[in-house]
Amino acid sequence: MSRKHVIHQYNMFEGQTINMSGNLTSNISNVEQLDKCSIHLTWTAGPVGEFIIEARNGGNPAPNTALPKSKYNDSWYVLPTSSLGTITGTDSELLILLNELPFTDVRIRYVASSGAAADLKALLTAKVVGA
Amino acid sequence: MKTIVFPATPIDTTGLATEAKQDVQITEAQTANAELQFINVELDAQTNLLNNVNTYLNNIQTELTDVNTELNNITDNTTKLNVREVSPFIDASVTNIPASSSAPLQIIASTAHNTFKIVSVEDIGEFIGVYTGAVSSEVLVGVLPLGGGELEIRINPNTRISLRNMKNAAINSGNIVLNLLG
């Protein structure tokens, strides 16, 4: 019997205090059982900086205590995307499409250049294709 | 909205005019342009050389023309002399040879050839001057030997020749004829 994994909606910065004048690191999202996902980032316009998508092939602590511990703690690496996730003071949203997920975990880092406190959300939705 | 995608879709640039290929083409075009400019400079230099050669050839042609003229003169000067013209037979009793105070007597209106020697045949025995030049502009160019003989002289074609006694007395006897040799 086939199974289909889906994530309807998850805010990768859930539970964090957001201040885009400084650097931010999102929560870790485990994507082992998934094929594709998209991340829609929205914020209050003004900050200038860069969003970086990072992944790892297993590591500790696991994003979820229900997930098995990894034997080795892989370091985070930057995904080579079609373009950089730089934002200007007039931008207020960014869409990230991950059409393949050949890694276990993914997260988003924000490197600030200038800005102020802003309401930032990174809504992830994902699914298994063809399950 | 700005969108970034993973994985980044590689573009097969085979056959495409990519920036790198355009840079290569620009470099090659610049190299070709520099070589064409060099060739143009070389062609200008060759043109100048050819112009100089042409000038030298023209000078040589002028020199050869002068040489040809000189050779013709040498030919004229070294050819064995022959009688080219004979003056009319003058009977002084009929046609006096004028005195030195009178105008010379024309015997040839215009010579037909170059003259290098006059051989006179006469039985007059006086000092007879040979003149060249137009009427009233006669110039003494030689004196015939007494009783006839040779007078080496150069007279151009189309020259008027006349005779006159060197003494102030008309000659009214005897005969004279001139052989013009050239």
Side-chain angles (χ1 to χ4, degrees), chain A residues 82-84 86 93 95 97 99, chain B residues 1-8:
Chain A
S82 58
S83 60
L84 299 178
T86 52
E93 58 183 332
L95 177 63
L97 301 178
N99 291 320
Chain B
M1 175 174 61
K2 183 174 181 178
T3 302
I4 55 180
V5 182
F6 173 84

PDB file of all heavy atoms in Angstrom, chain A residues 82-84 86 93 95 97 99, chain B residues 1-8:
ATOM      1  N   SER A  82      19.821  28.544  -8.713  1.00  0.00           N
ATOM      2  CA  SER A  82      19.910  29.235 -10.010  1.00  0.00           C
ATOM      3  C   SER A  82      20.421  30.665  -9.862  1.00  0.00           C
ATOM      4  O   SER A  82      20.987  31.229 -10.793  1.00  0.00           O
ATOM      5  CB  SER A  82      18.534  29.245 -10.684  1.00  0.00           C
ATOM      6  OG  SER A  82      17.584  29.894  -9.836  1.00  0.00           O
ATOM      7  N   SER A  83      20.156  31.300  -8.719  1.00  0.00           N
ATOM      8  CA  SER A  83      20.665  32.644  -8.473  1.00  0.00           C
ATOM      9  C   SER A  83      20.778  32.835  -6.969  1.00  0.00           C
ATOM     10  O   SER A  83      20.348  31.983  -6.186  1.00  0.00           O
ATOM     11  CB  SER A  83      19.733  33.699  -9.094  1.00  0.00           C
ATOM     12  OG  SER A  83      18.430  33.598  -8.541  1.00  0.00           O
ATOM     13  N   LEU A  84      21.392  33.933  -6.560  1.00  0.00           N
ATOM     14  CA  LEU A  84      21.559  34.193  -5.140  1.00  0.00           C
ATOM     15  C   LEU A  84      20.259  34.749  -4.553  1.00  0.00           C
ATOM     16  O   LEU A  84      19.455  35.362  -5.247  1.00  0.00           O
ATOM     17  CB  LEU A  84      22.697  35.200  -4.938  1.00  0.00           C
ATOM     18  CG  LEU A  84      24.078  34.756  -5.433  1.00  0.00           C
ATOM     19  CD1 LEU A  84      25.089  35.858  -5.220  1.00  0.00           C
ATOM     20  CD2 LEU A  84      24.514  33.487  -4.720  1.00  0.00           C
ATOM     21  N   THR A  86      19.693  37.302  -2.742  1.00  0.00           N
ATOM     22  CA  THR A  86      19.898  38.655  -2.222  1.00  0.00           C
ATOM     23  C   THR A  86      18.601  39.433  -2.289  1.00  0.00           C
ATOM     24  O   THR A  86      17.786  39.246  -3.198  1.00  0.00           O
ATOM     25  CB  THR A  86      20.963  39.401  -3.040  1.00  0.00           C
ATOM     26  OG1 THR A  86      20.612  39.323  -4.423  1.00  0.00           O
ATOM     27  CG2 THR A  86      22.331  38.786  -2.847  1.00  0.00           C
ATOM     28  N   GLU A  93       9.306  39.728  -0.585  1.00  0.00           N
ATOM     29  CA  GLU A  93       9.057  38.292  -0.615  1.00  0.00           C
ATOM     30  C   GLU A  93      10.056  37.627  -1.528  1.00  0.00           C
ATOM     31  O   GLU A  93      10.640  38.234  -2.423  1.00  0.00           O
ATOM     32  CB  GLU A  93       7.627  37.966  -1.062  1.00  0.00           C
ATOM     33  CG  GLU A  93       7.255  38.506  -2.438  1.00  0.00           C
ATOM     34  CD  GLU A  93       5.817  38.217  -2.803  1.00  0.00           C
ATOM     35  OE1 GLU A  93       5.253  37.219  -2.322  1.00  0.00           O
ATOM     36  OE2 GLU A  93       5.255  38.999  -3.586  1.00  0.00           O
ATOM     37  N   LEU A  95      10.657  33.487  -3.319  1.00  0.00           N
ATOM     38  CA  LEU A  95      10.170  32.110  -3.460  1.00  0.00           C
ATOM     39  C   LEU A  95      11.352  31.200  -3.746  1.00  0.00           C
ATOM     40  O   LEU A  95      12.144  31.466  -4.654  1.00  0.00           O
ATOM     41  CB  LEU A  95       9.150  32.005  -4.596  1.00  0.00           C
ATOM     42  CG  LEU A  95       8.608  30.598  -4.890  1.00  0.00           C
ATOM     43  CD1 LEU A  95       7.859  30.065  -3.682  1.00  0.00           C
ATOM     44  CD2 LEU A  95       7.712  30.607  -6.115  1.00  0.00           C
ATOM     45  N   LEU A  97      12.265  27.322  -4.750  1.00  0.00           N
ATOM     46  CA  LEU A  97      11.731  26.045  -5.230  1.00  0.00           C
ATOM     47  C   LEU A  97      12.831  25.002  -5.131  1.00  0.00           C
ATOM     48  O   LEU A  97      13.884  25.132  -5.755  1.00  0.00           O
ATOM     49  CB  LEU A  97      11.273  26.171  -6.680  1.00  0.00           C
ATOM     50  CG  LEU A  97      10.182  27.220  -6.961  1.00  0.00           C
ATOM     51  CD1 LEU A  97       9.862  27.262  -8.451  1.00  0.00           C
ATOM     52  CD2 LEU A  97       8.935  26.916  -6.166  1.00  0.00           C
ATOM     53  N   ASN A  99      13.255  21.442  -6.223  1.00  0.00           N
ATOM     54  CA  ASN A  99      12.636  20.385  -7.035  1.00  0.00           C
ATOM     55  C   ASN A  99      13.240  19.017  -6.766  1.00  0.00           C
ATOM     56  O   ASN A  99      12.705  18.011  -7.236  1.00  0.00           O
ATOM     57  CB  ASN A  99      12.754  20.738  -8.514  1.00  0.00           C
ATOM     58  CG  ASN A  99      11.894  21.926  -8.883  1.00  0.00           C
ATOM     59  OD1 ASN A  99      10.771  22.061  -8.408  1.00  0.00           O
ATOM     60  ND2 ASN A  99      12.423  22.822  -9.707  1.00  0.00           N
TER      61      ASN A  99
ATOM     62  N   MET B   1       7.998  38.619  -8.392  1.00  0.00           N
ATOM     63  CA  MET B   1       8.633  38.070  -7.200  1.00  0.00           C
ATOM     64  C   MET B   1       9.877  37.304  -7.637  1.00  0.00           C
ATOM     65  O   MET B   1       9.838  36.507  -8.568  1.00  0.00           O
ATOM     66  CB  MET B   1       7.652  37.139  -6.473  1.00  0.00           C
ATOM     67  CG  MET B   1       8.248  36.434  -5.298  1.00  0.00           C
ATOM     68  SD  MET B   1       7.017  35.490  -4.400  1.00  0.00           S
ATOM     69  CE  MET B   1       6.444  34.336  -5.638  1.00  0.00           C
ATOM     70  N   LYS B   2      10.953  37.533  -6.913  1.00  0.00           N
ATOM     71  CA  LYS B   2      12.185  36.842  -7.257  1.00  0.00           C
ATOM     72  C   LYS B   2      12.066  35.382  -6.863  1.00  0.00           C
ATOM     73  O   LYS B   2      11.533  35.058  -5.790  1.00  0.00           O
ATOM     74  CB  LYS B   2      13.366  37.479  -6.525  1.00  0.00           C
ATOM     75  CG  LYS B   2      14.723  36.873  -6.872  1.00  0.00           C
ATOM     76  CD  LYS B   2      15.850  37.648  -6.229  1.00  0.00           C
ATOM     77  CE  LYS B   2      17.191  37.056  -6.612  1.00  0.00           C
ATOM     78  NZ  LYS B   2      18.312  37.832  -6.031  1.00  0.00           N
ATOM     79  N   THR B   3      12.535  34.493  -7.743  1.00  0.00           N
ATOM     80  CA  THR B   3      12.441  33.052  -7.506  1.00  0.00           C
ATOM     81  C   THR B   3      13.804  32.432  -7.720  1.00  0.00           C
ATOM     82  O   THR B   3      14.480  32.724  -8.710  1.00  0.00           O
ATOM     83  CB  THR B   3      11.431  32.401  -8.464  1.00  0.00           C
ATOM     84  OG1 THR B   3      10.153  33.016  -8.289  1.00  0.00           O
ATOM     85  CG2 THR B   3      11.311  30.901  -8.214  1.00  0.00           C
ATOM     86  N   ILE B   4      14.231  31.594  -6.784  1.00  0.00           N
ATOM     87  CA  ILE B   4      15.466  30.849  -6.976  1.00  0.00           C
ATOM     88  C   ILE B   4      15.125  29.364  -6.933  1.00  0.00           C
ATOM     89  O   ILE B   4      14.190  28.952  -6.231  1.00  0.00           O
ATOM     90  CB  ILE B   4      16.530  31.208  -5.930  1.00  0.00           C
ATOM     91  CG1 ILE B   4      16.000  31.011  -4.502  1.00  0.00           C
ATOM     92  CG2 ILE B   4      16.976  32.654  -6.131  1.00  0.00           C
ATOM     93  CD1 ILE B   4      17.038  31.350  -3.438  1.00  0.00           C
ATOM     94  N   VAL B   5      15.862  28.570  -7.736  1.00  0.00           N
ATOM     95  CA  VAL B   5      15.487  27.175  -7.974  1.00  0.00           C
ATOM     96  C   VAL B   5      16.676  26.279  -7.668  1.00  0.00           C
ATOM     97  O   VAL B   5      17.824  26.603  -8.010  1.00  0.00           O
ATOM     98  CB  VAL B   5      15.032  26.956  -9.430  1.00  0.00           C
ATOM     99  CG1 VAL B   5      14.597  25.505  -9.647  1.00  0.00           C
ATOM    100  CG2 VAL B   5      13.890  27.912  -9.778  1.00  0.00           C
ATOM    101  N   PHE B   6      16.407  25.141  -7.033  1.00  0.00           N
ATOM    102  CA  PHE B   6      17.395  24.076  -6.875  1.00  0.00           C
ATOM    103  C   PHE B   6      16.786  22.781  -7.439  1.00  0.00           C
ATOM    104  O   PHE B   6      15.634  22.491  -7.132  1.00  0.00           O
ATOM    105  CB  PHE B   6      17.772  23.877  -5.414  1.00  0.00           C
ATOM    106  CG  PHE B   6      18.659  22.668  -5.199  1.00  0.00           C
ATOM    107  CD1 PHE B   6      20.022  22.759  -5.383  1.00  0.00           C
ATOM    108  CD2 PHE B   6      18.108  21.425  -4.860  1.00  0.00           C
ATOM    109  CE1 PHE B   6      20.837  21.651  -5.209  1.00  0.00           C
ATOM    110  CE2 PHE B   6      18.920  20.310  -4.694  1.00  0.00           C
ATOM    111  CZ  PHE B   6      20.285  20.431  -4.860  1.00  0.00           C
ATOM    112  N   PRO B   7      17.482  21.986  -8.216  1.00  0.00           N
ATOM    113  CA  PRO B   7      18.840  22.330  -8.705  1.00  0.00           C
ATOM    114  C   PRO B   7      18.786  23.386  -9.796  1.00  0.00           C
ATOM    115  O   PRO B   7      17.784  23.490 -10.519  1.00  0.00           O
ATOM    116  CB  PRO B   7      19.351  20.999  -9.227  1.00  0.00           C
ATOM    117  CG  PRO B   7      18.131  20.245  -9.612  1.00  0.00           C
ATOM    118  CD  PRO B   7      17.054  20.666  -8.662  1.00  0.00           C
ATOM    119  N   ALA B   8      19.852  24.150  -9.930  1.00  0.00           N
ATOM    120  CA  ALA B   8      19.923  25.127 -11.015  1.00  0.00           C
ATOM    121  C   ALA B   8      19.988  24.356 -12.318  1.00  0.00           C
ATOM    122  O   ALA B   8      20.771  23.415 -12.443  1.00  0.00           O
ATOM    123  CB  ALA B   8      21.165  26.002 -10.836  1.00  0.00           C
TER     124      ALA B   8
END
